[in-house]
Amino acid sequence: MERLSVLIVEDSVSQREFVANMCLDAGVGEVALAENGRVALTMIDAREQDYDILICDLEMPDLDGIELIHLLASRKRNSAIIIVSGRELSLISAVELMANTQGLWVLDGVQKPLSMERLHSLLRLYTQRRDKLDFKPRTAQSSPLAIEELRMALTQRRFVLHYQPKIDMQSGQLAGVEALVRLTCNQYQIVFPNDFIPLCEAHGLIDDLSYEVIRLAIEQQKRWQQAGLDTAISVNLSAVSFANEAFSGRVMQQVGELGDAAKQLIFEVTETAIIQDIGKALSILTRLRLSGCGLSIDDYGTGYSSIKQLSQIPFTELKIDRSLIEGVSRKAHLQVIFESTLSMCNKLGLKVVAEGIEKKSDWKYLAAQGCHIGQGYYYSPPMPEEDLLRWWQAGMPALS
């Protein structure tokens, strides 16, 4: 084990020592101890470099684990977090979701006692994921992009697409790919969507970015088809664009030029965004569906009117948010939600995509329940065009 630094935040002396000894036995290079969140926060603030991992209890005197996590988010710390608690899994999962939505990196939520096997697994997961930029939260030192830089990037066509495979969980075959937009600043630096999508939406550039992403996806399909790979590509649409009537016409022109190939294009829209103006959303979504494109409701489970939207919009696919997938193999309440959602979609004729799968146990559970499509780092991270083609030609080995 390389020299990792771990801070254990736990009010029980015996529990602190138990976990500390396990960390040392696992080869962790530096182990620090704090008896509550207040002490931990003081130690974190006084440290020049973030701890690699925080192992944090929830119930502690003075400053509990939940408040500590909230304060860490406000400080934009980069430490990965393992939540360890004796409370019920539904409560632990709620805290995980809170931390994730606040931009923190949660490795897992674990019921006490933390076992050596689980600790080893989480330490391996940390080292595997740490160098993948998709999993790194934004740092306080990140320099914000200037809007003029984004305009120039669109003009110079410096946006590129990376592709994450979507796997048919019953046959093991490639069911499609999701196109994820990136901004290339130079040969060595790639900027991820969280750092430029909100800016594009706020400054009226999101339509131009959407056109560019669709153009890149269409051209990609043609190149892959020439190489023998014929697969669906999913692209994300920002619902901010639905307010622009010209947007619909321009996108339809792009799609119309595809002819039958439009069936290989799937548009994903987050459920929380659609509800802003259902009328304008339907204006473009129904036309896309008439053209043969697939429609996917993305991040299902994070909004508040999902059932109503399913009855109003002609979706062909439903993507269950990672917050309802992570740990599903061992969390009974997530299993109930997943199984009822799958049953509903089977009756409605919708494909179900489980996104954000990171553990073999979750993959196996979902496949056993009949989930249609799986997507996540357990199988493969997003890849540039050339890497995905080579991966497909090599027989699609799991890249986890």
Side-chain angles (χ1 to χ4, degrees), residues 266-272 274-275 294-303 305-311 313-321 345 350-351 353 355:
I266 300 173
F267 289 95
E268 298 185 6
V269 187
T270 57
E271 64 165 355
T272 49
I274 294 174
I275 62 175
L295 296 179
S296 178
I297 182 168
D298 195 14
D299 297 338
Y300 182 84
T302 59
S305 57
S306 309
I307 303 299
K308 182 178 180 181
Q309 291 169 40
L310 284 174
S311 69
I313 299 173
F315 289 111
T316 57
E317 178 183 277
L318 181 148
K319 297 188 74 174
I320 302 179
D321 185 69
C345 288
L350 301 179
K351 290 286 187 182
V353 180
E355 61 178 346

PDB file of all heavy atoms in Angstrom, residues 266-272 274-275 294-303 305-311 313-321 345 350-351 353 355:
ATOM      1  N   ILE A 266     -29.912   8.779 -29.228  1.00  0.00           N
ATOM      2  CA  ILE A 266     -30.777   8.878 -28.048  1.00  0.00           C
ATOM      3  C   ILE A 266     -30.482  10.197 -27.354  1.00  0.00           C
ATOM      4  O   ILE A 266     -29.312  10.531 -27.101  1.00  0.00           O
ATOM      5  CB  ILE A 266     -30.536   7.707 -27.066  1.00  0.00           C
ATOM      6  CG1 ILE A 266     -30.820   6.365 -27.740  1.00  0.00           C
ATOM      7  CG2 ILE A 266     -31.408   7.866 -25.815  1.00  0.00           C
ATOM      8  CD1 ILE A 266     -30.435   5.159 -26.887  1.00  0.00           C
ATOM      9  N   PHE A 267     -31.526  10.949 -27.060  1.00  0.00           N
ATOM     10  CA  PHE A 267     -31.369  12.222 -26.347  1.00  0.00           C
ATOM     11  C   PHE A 267     -31.752  12.042 -24.880  1.00  0.00           C
ATOM     12  O   PHE A 267     -32.848  11.569 -24.571  1.00  0.00           O
ATOM     13  CB  PHE A 267     -32.230  13.311 -26.995  1.00  0.00           C
ATOM     14  CG  PHE A 267     -31.718  13.760 -28.333  1.00  0.00           C
ATOM     15  CD1 PHE A 267     -32.207  13.200 -29.504  1.00  0.00           C
ATOM     16  CD2 PHE A 267     -30.729  14.725 -28.427  1.00  0.00           C
ATOM     17  CE1 PHE A 267     -31.738  13.592 -30.743  1.00  0.00           C
ATOM     18  CE2 PHE A 267     -30.245  15.132 -29.663  1.00  0.00           C
ATOM     19  CZ  PHE A 267     -30.743  14.561 -30.821  1.00  0.00           C
ATOM     20  N   GLU A 268     -30.837  12.428 -23.994  1.00  0.00           N
ATOM     21  CA  GLU A 268     -31.078  12.328 -22.556  1.00  0.00           C
ATOM     22  C   GLU A 268     -31.376  13.708 -21.981  1.00  0.00           C
ATOM     23  O   GLU A 268     -30.666  14.668 -22.264  1.00  0.00           O
ATOM     24  CB  GLU A 268     -29.859  11.741 -21.843  1.00  0.00           C
ATOM     25  CG  GLU A 268     -29.493  10.331 -22.282  1.00  0.00           C
ATOM     26  CD  GLU A 268     -28.344   9.749 -21.463  1.00  0.00           C
ATOM     27  OE1 GLU A 268     -27.921  10.410 -20.494  1.00  0.00           O
ATOM     28  OE2 GLU A 268     -27.877   8.644 -21.783  1.00  0.00           O
ATOM     29  N   VAL A 269     -32.418  13.767 -21.163  1.00  0.00           N
ATOM     30  CA  VAL A 269     -32.766  15.022 -20.475  1.00  0.00           C
ATOM     31  C   VAL A 269     -33.013  14.696 -19.019  1.00  0.00           C
ATOM     32  O   VAL A 269     -33.716  13.732 -18.699  1.00  0.00           O
ATOM     33  CB  VAL A 269     -34.017  15.679 -21.086  1.00  0.00           C
ATOM     34  CG1 VAL A 269     -34.255  17.054 -20.467  1.00  0.00           C
ATOM     35  CG2 VAL A 269     -33.880  15.791 -22.595  1.00  0.00           C
ATOM     36  N   THR A 270     -32.439  15.485 -18.104  1.00  0.00           N
ATOM     37  CA  THR A 270     -32.643  15.230 -16.685  1.00  0.00           C
ATOM     38  C   THR A 270     -34.081  15.537 -16.303  1.00  0.00           C
ATOM     39  O   THR A 270     -34.667  16.516 -16.773  1.00  0.00           O
ATOM     40  CB  THR A 270     -31.703  16.075 -15.812  1.00  0.00           C
ATOM     41  OG1 THR A 270     -31.905  17.453 -16.113  1.00  0.00           O
ATOM     42  CG2 THR A 270     -30.254  15.716 -16.073  1.00  0.00           C
ATOM     43  N   GLU A 271     -34.631  14.715 -15.422  1.00  0.00           N
ATOM     44  CA  GLU A 271     -36.041  14.877 -15.054  1.00  0.00           C
ATOM     45  C   GLU A 271     -36.298  16.185 -14.333  1.00  0.00           C
ATOM     46  O   GLU A 271     -37.350  16.789 -14.470  1.00  0.00           O
ATOM     47  CB  GLU A 271     -36.494  13.706 -14.188  1.00  0.00           C
ATOM     48  CG  GLU A 271     -35.793  13.590 -12.848  1.00  0.00           C
ATOM     49  CD  GLU A 271     -36.532  12.650 -11.914  1.00  0.00           C
ATOM     50  OE1 GLU A 271     -37.606  12.180 -12.286  1.00  0.00           O
ATOM     51  OE2 GLU A 271     -36.039  12.426 -10.816  1.00  0.00           O
ATOM     52  N   THR A 272     -35.322  16.659 -13.540  1.00  0.00           N
ATOM     53  CA  THR A 272     -35.533  17.907 -12.806  1.00  0.00           C
ATOM     54  C   THR A 272     -35.622  19.090 -13.745  1.00  0.00           C
ATOM     55  O   THR A 272     -36.278  20.073 -13.457  1.00  0.00           O
ATOM     56  CB  THR A 272     -34.389  18.125 -11.802  1.00  0.00           C
ATOM     57  OG1 THR A 272     -33.142  17.950 -12.480  1.00  0.00           O
ATOM     58  CG2 THR A 272     -34.479  17.138 -10.663  1.00  0.00           C
ATOM     59  N   ILE A 274     -36.766  19.045 -16.992  1.00  0.00           N
ATOM     60  CA  ILE A 274     -37.930  19.018 -17.874  1.00  0.00           C
ATOM     61  C   ILE A 274     -39.108  19.777 -17.281  1.00  0.00           C
ATOM     62  O   ILE A 274     -39.839  20.454 -17.978  1.00  0.00           O
ATOM     63  CB  ILE A 274     -38.353  17.564 -18.147  1.00  0.00           C
ATOM     64  CG1 ILE A 274     -37.251  16.855 -18.939  1.00  0.00           C
ATOM     65  CG2 ILE A 274     -39.647  17.502 -18.934  1.00  0.00           C
ATOM     66  CD1 ILE A 274     -37.498  15.385 -19.133  1.00  0.00           C
ATOM     67  N   ILE A 275     -39.301  19.688 -15.986  1.00  0.00           N
ATOM     68  CA  ILE A 275     -40.513  20.211 -15.373  1.00  0.00           C
ATOM     69  C   ILE A 275     -40.589  21.738 -15.384  1.00  0.00           C
ATOM     70  O   ILE A 275     -41.598  22.293 -15.007  1.00  0.00           O
ATOM     71  CB  ILE A 275     -40.664  19.703 -13.921  1.00  0.00           C
ATOM     72  CG1 ILE A 275     -39.498  20.174 -13.054  1.00  0.00           C
ATOM     73  CG2 ILE A 275     -40.784  18.197 -13.896  1.00  0.00           C
ATOM     74  CD1 ILE A 275     -39.643  19.815 -11.589  1.00  0.00           C
ATOM     75  N   GLY A 294     -34.359   8.019 -29.927  1.00  0.00           N
ATOM     76  CA  GLY A 294     -34.779   7.576 -28.614  1.00  0.00           C
ATOM     77  C   GLY A 294     -34.777   8.741 -27.637  1.00  0.00           C
ATOM     78  O   GLY A 294     -34.056   9.728 -27.829  1.00  0.00           O
ATOM     79  N   LEU A 295     -35.592   8.647 -26.598  1.00  0.00           N
ATOM     80  CA  LEU A 295     -35.643   9.666 -25.551  1.00  0.00           C
ATOM     81  C   LEU A 295     -35.410   8.999 -24.204  1.00  0.00           C
ATOM     82  O   LEU A 295     -36.047   7.999 -23.883  1.00  0.00           O
ATOM     83  CB  LEU A 295     -36.992  10.384 -25.540  1.00  0.00           C
ATOM     84  CG  LEU A 295     -37.367  11.214 -26.770  1.00  0.00           C
ATOM     85  CD1 LEU A 295     -38.755  11.834 -26.574  1.00  0.00           C
ATOM     86  CD2 LEU A 295     -36.331  12.299 -27.035  1.00  0.00           C
ATOM     87  N   SER A 296     -34.506   9.568 -23.436  1.00  0.00           N
ATOM     88  CA  SER A 296     -34.153   8.987 -22.140  1.00  0.00           C
ATOM     89  C   SER A 296     -34.369  10.001 -21.039  1.00  0.00           C
ATOM     90  O   SER A 296     -33.950  11.156 -21.153  1.00  0.00           O
ATOM     91  CB  SER A 296     -32.691   8.537 -22.157  1.00  0.00           C
ATOM     92  OG  SER A 296     -32.300   8.013 -20.901  1.00  0.00           O
ATOM     93  N   ILE A 297     -35.022   9.582 -19.968  1.00  0.00           N
ATOM     94  CA  ILE A 297     -35.150  10.430 -18.779  1.00  0.00           C
ATOM     95  C   ILE A 297     -33.961  10.120 -17.883  1.00  0.00           C
ATOM     96  O   ILE A 297     -33.808   8.999 -17.389  1.00  0.00           O
ATOM     97  CB  ILE A 297     -36.502  10.226 -18.059  1.00  0.00           C
ATOM     98  CG1 ILE A 297     -36.609  11.162 -16.851  1.00  0.00           C
ATOM     99  CG2 ILE A 297     -36.732   8.777 -17.688  1.00  0.00           C
ATOM    100  CD1 ILE A 297     -38.008  11.226 -16.257  1.00  0.00           C
ATOM    101  N   ASP A 298     -33.081  11.092 -17.729  1.00  0.00           N
ATOM    102  CA  ASP A 298     -31.810  10.900 -17.029  1.00  0.00           C
ATOM    103  C   ASP A 298     -31.950  11.255 -15.549  1.00  0.00           C
ATOM    104  O   ASP A 298     -32.819  12.033 -15.151  1.00  0.00           O
ATOM    105  CB  ASP A 298     -30.745  11.780 -17.684  1.00  0.00           C
ATOM    106  CG  ASP A 298     -29.342  11.387 -17.286  1.00  0.00           C
ATOM    107  OD1 ASP A 298     -29.158  10.289 -16.721  1.00  0.00           O
ATOM    108  OD2 ASP A 298     -28.411  12.167 -17.554  1.00  0.00           O
ATOM    109  N   ASP A 299     -31.072  10.677 -14.737  1.00  0.00           N
ATOM    110  CA  ASP A 299     -31.046  10.953 -13.290  1.00  0.00           C
ATOM    111  C   ASP A 299     -32.391  10.678 -12.637  1.00  0.00           C
ATOM    112  O   ASP A 299     -32.812  11.397 -11.725  1.00  0.00           O
ATOM    113  CB  ASP A 299     -30.638  12.409 -13.021  1.00  0.00           C
ATOM    114  CG  ASP A 299     -29.229  12.697 -13.501  1.00  0.00           C
ATOM    115  OD1 ASP A 299     -28.455  11.743 -13.639  1.00  0.00           O
ATOM    116  OD2 ASP A 299     -28.907  13.873 -13.742  1.00  0.00           O
ATOM    117  N   TYR A 300     -33.094   9.643 -13.077  1.00  0.00           N
ATOM    118  CA  TYR A 300     -34.397   9.321 -12.500  1.00  0.00           C
ATOM    119  C   TYR A 300     -34.235   9.037 -11.013  1.00  0.00           C
ATOM    120  O   TYR A 300     -33.377   8.282 -10.590  1.00  0.00           O
ATOM    121  CB  TYR A 300     -34.996   8.094 -13.194  1.00  0.00           C
ATOM    122  CG  TYR A 300     -36.366   7.707 -12.687  1.00  0.00           C
ATOM    123  CD1 TYR A 300     -37.503   8.322 -13.191  1.00  0.00           C
ATOM    124  CD2 TYR A 300     -36.511   6.739 -11.703  1.00  0.00           C
ATOM    125  CE1 TYR A 300     -38.761   7.975 -12.723  1.00  0.00           C
ATOM    126  CE2 TYR A 300     -37.770   6.384 -11.234  1.00  0.00           C
ATOM    127  CZ  TYR A 300     -38.887   7.006 -11.749  1.00  0.00           C
ATOM    128  OH  TYR A 300     -40.130   6.663 -11.283  1.00  0.00           O
ATOM    129  N   GLY A 301     -35.102   9.662 -10.236  1.00  0.00           N
ATOM    130  CA  GLY A 301     -35.040   9.493  -8.794  1.00  0.00           C
ATOM    131  C   GLY A 301     -34.530  10.719  -8.071  1.00  0.00           C
ATOM    132  O   GLY A 301     -34.530  10.772  -6.843  1.00  0.00           O
ATOM    133  N   THR A 302     -34.105  11.751  -8.835  1.00  0.00           N
ATOM    134  CA  THR A 302     -33.606  12.965  -8.192  1.00  0.00           C
ATOM    135  C   THR A 302     -34.615  14.108  -8.261  1.00  0.00           C
ATOM    136  O   THR A 302     -34.381  15.167  -7.701  1.00  0.00           O
ATOM    137  CB  THR A 302     -32.296  13.437  -8.852  1.00  0.00           C
ATOM    138  OG1 THR A 302     -32.539  13.691 -10.249  1.00  0.00           O
ATOM    139  CG2 THR A 302     -31.219  12.370  -8.734  1.00  0.00           C
ATOM    140  N   GLY A 303     -35.731  13.917  -8.978  1.00  0.00           N
ATOM    141  CA  GLY A 303     -36.753  14.956  -9.098  1.00  0.00           C
ATOM    142  C   GLY A 303     -37.993  14.599  -8.323  1.00  0.00           C
ATOM    143  O   GLY A 303     -38.030  13.627  -7.572  1.00  0.00           O
ATOM    144  N   SER A 305     -41.435  14.862  -9.774  1.00  0.00           N
ATOM    145  CA  SER A 305     -42.661  14.614 -10.534  1.00  0.00           C
ATOM    146  C   SER A 305     -42.415  13.582 -11.622  1.00  0.00           C
ATOM    147  O   SER A 305     -42.902  13.699 -12.731  1.00  0.00           O
ATOM    148  CB  SER A 305     -43.178  15.923 -11.140  1.00  0.00           C
ATOM    149  OG  SER A 305     -42.190  16.513 -11.939  1.00  0.00           O
ATOM    150  N   SER A 306     -41.638  12.559 -11.298  1.00  0.00           N
ATOM    151  CA  SER A 306     -41.201  11.592 -12.296  1.00  0.00           C
ATOM    152  C   SER A 306     -42.363  10.843 -12.927  1.00  0.00           C
ATOM    153  O   SER A 306     -42.409  10.655 -14.138  1.00  0.00           O
ATOM    154  CB  SER A 306     -40.240  10.600 -11.648  1.00  0.00           C
ATOM    155  OG  SER A 306     -39.219  11.279 -10.957  1.00  0.00           O
ATOM    156  N   ILE A 307     -43.292  10.364 -12.114  1.00  0.00           N
ATOM    157  CA  ILE A 307     -44.394   9.564 -12.630  1.00  0.00           C
ATOM    158  C   ILE A 307     -45.237  10.391 -13.595  1.00  0.00           C
ATOM    159  O   ILE A 307     -45.639   9.918 -14.664  1.00  0.00           O
ATOM    160  CB  ILE A 307     -45.259   9.020 -11.485  1.00  0.00           C
ATOM    161  CG1 ILE A 307     -44.400   8.200 -10.515  1.00  0.00           C
ATOM    162  CG2 ILE A 307     -46.385   8.178 -12.038  1.00  0.00           C
ATOM    163  CD1 ILE A 307     -43.742   6.996 -11.148  1.00  0.00           C
ATOM    164  N   LYS A 308     -45.494  11.625 -13.246  1.00  0.00           N
ATOM    165  CA  LYS A 308     -46.277  12.500 -14.119  1.00  0.00           C
ATOM    166  C   LYS A 308     -45.571  12.691 -15.454  1.00  0.00           C
ATOM    167  O   LYS A 308     -46.200  12.647 -16.523  1.00  0.00           O
ATOM    168  CB  LYS A 308     -46.495  13.857 -13.442  1.00  0.00           C
ATOM    169  CG  LYS A 308     -47.354  14.815 -14.263  1.00  0.00           C
ATOM    170  CD  LYS A 308     -47.554  16.118 -13.508  1.00  0.00           C
ATOM    171  CE  LYS A 308     -48.404  17.087 -14.318  1.00  0.00           C
ATOM    172  NZ  LYS A 308     -48.596  18.371 -13.602  1.00  0.00           N
ATOM    173  N   GLN A 309     -44.243  12.885 -15.432  1.00  0.00           N
ATOM    174  CA  GLN A 309     -43.503  13.085 -16.671  1.00  0.00           C
ATOM    175  C   GLN A 309     -43.508  11.835 -17.537  1.00  0.00           C
ATOM    176  O   GLN A 309     -43.574  11.923 -18.762  1.00  0.00           O
ATOM    177  CB  GLN A 309     -42.071  13.505 -16.344  1.00  0.00           C
ATOM    178  CG  GLN A 309     -41.984  14.906 -15.742  1.00  0.00           C
ATOM    179  CD  GLN A 309     -40.620  15.193 -15.179  1.00  0.00           C
ATOM    180  OE1 GLN A 309     -39.615  14.832 -15.764  1.00  0.00           O
ATOM    181  NE2 GLN A 309     -40.577  15.835 -14.032  1.00  0.00           N
ATOM    182  N   LEU A 310     -43.447  10.665 -16.900  1.00  0.00           N
ATOM    183  CA  LEU A 310     -43.490   9.424 -17.657  1.00  0.00           C
ATOM    184  C   LEU A 310     -44.813   9.281 -18.400  1.00  0.00           C
ATOM    185  O   LEU A 310     -44.877   8.659 -19.464  1.00  0.00           O
ATOM    186  CB  LEU A 310     -43.291   8.228 -16.724  1.00  0.00           C
ATOM    187  CG  LEU A 310     -41.853   7.979 -16.256  1.00  0.00           C
ATOM    188  CD1 LEU A 310     -41.820   6.862 -15.225  1.00  0.00           C
ATOM    189  CD2 LEU A 310     -40.969   7.621 -17.440  1.00  0.00           C
ATOM    190  N   SER A 311     -45.874   9.849 -17.844  1.00  0.00           N
ATOM    191  CA  SER A 311     -47.177   9.760 -18.494  1.00  0.00           C
ATOM    192  C   SER A 311     -47.349  10.816 -19.578  1.00  0.00           C
ATOM    193  O   SER A 311     -48.225  10.708 -20.432  1.00  0.00           O
ATOM    194  CB  SER A 311     -48.303   9.916 -17.454  1.00  0.00           C
ATOM    195  OG  SER A 311     -48.343  11.245 -16.946  1.00  0.00           O
ATOM    196  N   ILE A 313     -44.496  12.369 -21.485  1.00  0.00           N
ATOM    197  CA  ILE A 313     -43.425  12.438 -22.484  1.00  0.00           C
ATOM    198  C   ILE A 313     -43.132  11.040 -23.016  1.00  0.00           C
ATOM    199  O   ILE A 313     -43.033  10.093 -22.237  1.00  0.00           O
ATOM    200  CB  ILE A 313     -42.159  13.067 -21.853  1.00  0.00           C
ATOM    201  CG1 ILE A 313     -42.476  14.499 -21.375  1.00  0.00           C
ATOM    202  CG2 ILE A 313     -41.014  13.091 -22.856  1.00  0.00           C
ATOM    203  CD1 ILE A 313     -41.365  15.139 -20.591  1.00  0.00           C
ATOM    204  N   PRO A 314     -42.985  10.874 -24.326  1.00  0.00           N
ATOM    205  CA  PRO A 314     -42.810   9.544 -24.925  1.00  0.00           C
ATOM    206  C   PRO A 314     -41.387   8.995 -24.774  1.00  0.00           C
ATOM    207  O   PRO A 314     -40.675   8.770 -25.754  1.00  0.00           O
ATOM    208  CB  PRO A 314     -43.172   9.781 -26.393  1.00  0.00           C
ATOM    209  CG  PRO A 314     -42.766  11.199 -26.644  1.00  0.00           C
ATOM    210  CD  PRO A 314     -43.087  11.936 -25.367  1.00  0.00           C
ATOM    211  N   PHE A 315     -40.983   8.778 -23.549  1.00  0.00           N
ATOM    212  CA  PHE A 315     -39.656   8.235 -23.317  1.00  0.00           C
ATOM    213  C   PHE A 315     -39.550   6.796 -23.813  1.00  0.00           C
ATOM    214  O   PHE A 315     -40.528   6.048 -23.833  1.00  0.00           O
ATOM    215  CB  PHE A 315     -39.317   8.265 -21.819  1.00  0.00           C
ATOM    216  CG  PHE A 315     -39.063   9.643 -21.279  1.00  0.00           C
ATOM    217  CD1 PHE A 315     -39.951  10.239 -20.397  1.00  0.00           C
ATOM    218  CD2 PHE A 315     -37.933  10.346 -21.653  1.00  0.00           C
ATOM    219  CE1 PHE A 315     -39.719  11.505 -19.893  1.00  0.00           C
ATOM    220  CE2 PHE A 315     -37.690  11.620 -21.160  1.00  0.00           C
ATOM    221  CZ  PHE A 315     -38.581  12.201 -20.283  1.00  0.00           C
ATOM    222  N   THR A 316     -38.333   6.416 -24.185  1.00  0.00           N
ATOM    223  CA  THR A 316     -38.048   5.030 -24.557  1.00  0.00           C
ATOM    224  C   THR A 316     -37.100   4.369 -23.560  1.00  0.00           C
ATOM    225  O   THR A 316     -36.920   3.157 -23.584  1.00  0.00           O
ATOM    226  CB  THR A 316     -37.392   4.974 -25.946  1.00  0.00           C
ATOM    227  OG1 THR A 316     -36.196   5.777 -25.945  1.00  0.00           O
ATOM    228  CG2 THR A 316     -38.348   5.508 -27.013  1.00  0.00           C
ATOM    229  N   GLU A 317     -36.530   5.185 -22.678  1.00  0.00           N
ATOM    230  CA  GLU A 317     -35.506   4.685 -21.763  1.00  0.00           C
ATOM    231  C   GLU A 317     -35.548   5.475 -20.466  1.00  0.00           C
ATOM    232  O   GLU A 317     -35.863   6.666 -20.460  1.00  0.00           O
ATOM    233  CB  GLU A 317     -34.127   4.835 -22.426  1.00  0.00           C
ATOM    234  CG  GLU A 317     -32.940   4.396 -21.589  1.00  0.00           C
ATOM    235  CD  GLU A 317     -31.624   4.668 -22.309  1.00  0.00           C
ATOM    236  OE1 GLU A 317     -31.237   3.829 -23.156  1.00  0.00           O
ATOM    237  OE2 GLU A 317     -30.992   5.717 -22.040  1.00  0.00           O
ATOM    238  N   LEU A 318     -35.233   4.813 -19.371  1.00  0.00           N
ATOM    239  CA  LEU A 318     -35.182   5.466 -18.066  1.00  0.00           C
ATOM    240  C   LEU A 318     -33.856   5.119 -17.412  1.00  0.00           C
ATOM    241  O   LEU A 318     -33.508   3.941 -17.276  1.00  0.00           O
ATOM    242  CB  LEU A 318     -36.352   5.001 -17.192  1.00  0.00           C
ATOM    243  CG  LEU A 318     -36.479   5.600 -15.795  1.00  0.00           C
ATOM    244  CD1 LEU A 318     -37.953   5.693 -15.388  1.00  0.00           C
ATOM    245  CD2 LEU A 318     -35.734   4.767 -14.756  1.00  0.00           C
ATOM    246  N   LYS A 319     -33.099   6.157 -17.036  1.00  0.00           N
ATOM    247  CA  LYS A 319     -31.812   5.944 -16.382  1.00  0.00           C
ATOM    248  C   LYS A 319     -31.953   6.223 -14.891  1.00  0.00           C
ATOM    249  O   LYS A 319     -32.267   7.345 -14.484  1.00  0.00           O
ATOM    250  CB  LYS A 319     -30.744   6.851 -16.990  1.00  0.00           C
ATOM    251  CG  LYS A 319     -30.471   6.581 -18.458  1.00  0.00           C
ATOM    252  CD  LYS A 319     -29.281   7.376 -18.962  1.00  0.00           C
ATOM    253  CE  LYS A 319     -27.974   6.793 -18.455  1.00  0.00           C
ATOM    254  NZ  LYS A 319     -26.796   7.469 -19.066  1.00  0.00           N
ATOM    255  N   ILE A 320     -31.725   5.204 -14.081  1.00  0.00           N
ATOM    256  CA  ILE A 320     -31.844   5.352 -12.638  1.00  0.00           C
ATOM    257  C   ILE A 320     -30.576   5.998 -12.092  1.00  0.00           C
ATOM    258  O   ILE A 320     -29.465   5.532 -12.361  1.00  0.00           O
ATOM    259  CB  ILE A 320     -32.090   3.994 -11.959  1.00  0.00           C
ATOM    260  CG1 ILE A 320     -33.359   3.352 -12.520  1.00  0.00           C
ATOM    261  CG2 ILE A 320     -32.198   4.159 -10.454  1.00  0.00           C
ATOM    262  CD1 ILE A 320     -33.664   1.991 -11.925  1.00  0.00           C
ATOM    263  N   ASP A 321     -30.744   7.058 -11.334  1.00  0.00           N
ATOM    264  CA  ASP A 321     -29.607   7.820 -10.821  1.00  0.00           C
ATOM    265  C   ASP A 321     -28.710   6.958  -9.940  1.00  0.00           C
ATOM    266  O   ASP A 321     -29.163   6.060  -9.232  1.00  0.00           O
ATOM    267  CB  ASP A 321     -30.119   9.027 -10.021  1.00  0.00           C
ATOM    268  CG  ASP A 321     -28.982   9.926  -9.578  1.00  0.00           C
ATOM    269  OD1 ASP A 321     -28.376  10.574 -10.446  1.00  0.00           O
ATOM    270  OD2 ASP A 321     -28.689   9.953  -8.366  1.00  0.00           O
ATOM    271  N   CYS A 345     -41.357  -0.118 -15.484  1.00  0.00           N
ATOM    272  CA  CYS A 345     -40.818   0.112 -16.820  1.00  0.00           C
ATOM    273  C   CYS A 345     -41.079  -1.065 -17.748  1.00  0.00           C
ATOM    274  O   CYS A 345     -41.333  -0.868 -18.944  1.00  0.00           O
ATOM    275  CB  CYS A 345     -39.325   0.402 -16.731  1.00  0.00           C
ATOM    276  SG  CYS A 345     -38.956   2.026 -16.027  1.00  0.00           S
ATOM    277  N   LEU A 350     -40.357   0.385 -21.344  1.00  0.00           N
ATOM    278  CA  LEU A 350     -39.170   1.234 -21.291  1.00  0.00           C
ATOM    279  C   LEU A 350     -37.940   0.411 -20.919  1.00  0.00           C
ATOM    280  O   LEU A 350     -38.007  -0.469 -20.063  1.00  0.00           O
ATOM    281  CB  LEU A 350     -39.344   2.344 -20.244  1.00  0.00           C
ATOM    282  CG  LEU A 350     -40.518   3.306 -20.403  1.00  0.00           C
ATOM    283  CD1 LEU A 350     -40.523   4.305 -19.265  1.00  0.00           C
ATOM    284  CD2 LEU A 350     -40.441   4.021 -21.740  1.00  0.00           C
ATOM    285  N   LYS A 351     -36.818   0.727 -21.560  1.00  0.00           N
ATOM    286  CA  LYS A 351     -35.545   0.144 -21.161  1.00  0.00           C
ATOM    287  C   LYS A 351     -35.076   0.806 -19.875  1.00  0.00           C
ATOM    288  O   LYS A 351     -35.187   2.028 -19.717  1.00  0.00           O
ATOM    289  CB  LYS A 351     -34.492   0.361 -22.253  1.00  0.00           C
ATOM    290  CG  LYS A 351     -34.712  -0.441 -23.520  1.00  0.00           C
ATOM    291  CD  LYS A 351     -34.371  -1.911 -23.300  1.00  0.00           C
ATOM    292  CE  LYS A 351     -34.416  -2.682 -24.611  1.00  0.00           C
ATOM    293  NZ  LYS A 351     -34.128  -4.118 -24.402  1.00  0.00           N
ATOM    294  N   VAL A 353     -31.856   1.667 -17.528  1.00  0.00           N
ATOM    295  CA  VAL A 353     -30.396   1.766 -17.465  1.00  0.00           C
ATOM    296  C   VAL A 353     -30.003   2.101 -16.030  1.00  0.00           C
ATOM    297  O   VAL A 353     -30.459   3.109 -15.481  1.00  0.00           O
ATOM    298  CB  VAL A 353     -29.859   2.854 -18.416  1.00  0.00           C
ATOM    299  CG1 VAL A 353     -28.337   2.934 -18.324  1.00  0.00           C
ATOM    300  CG2 VAL A 353     -30.303   2.604 -19.844  1.00  0.00           C
ATOM    301  N   GLU A 355     -27.180   3.494 -13.888  1.00  0.00           N
ATOM    302  CA  GLU A 355     -25.932   4.214 -14.115  1.00  0.00           C
ATOM    303  C   GLU A 355     -25.139   4.346 -12.818  1.00  0.00           C
ATOM    304  O   GLU A 355     -25.676   4.250 -11.727  1.00  0.00           O
ATOM    305  CB  GLU A 355     -26.197   5.596 -14.719  1.00  0.00           C
ATOM    306  CG  GLU A 355     -27.019   6.532 -13.872  1.00  0.00           C
ATOM    307  CD  GLU A 355     -27.200   7.894 -14.536  1.00  0.00           C
ATOM    308  OE1 GLU A 355     -26.485   8.180 -15.504  1.00  0.00           O
ATOM    309  OE2 GLU A 355     -28.051   8.664 -14.077  1.00  0.00           O
TER     310      GLU A 355
END
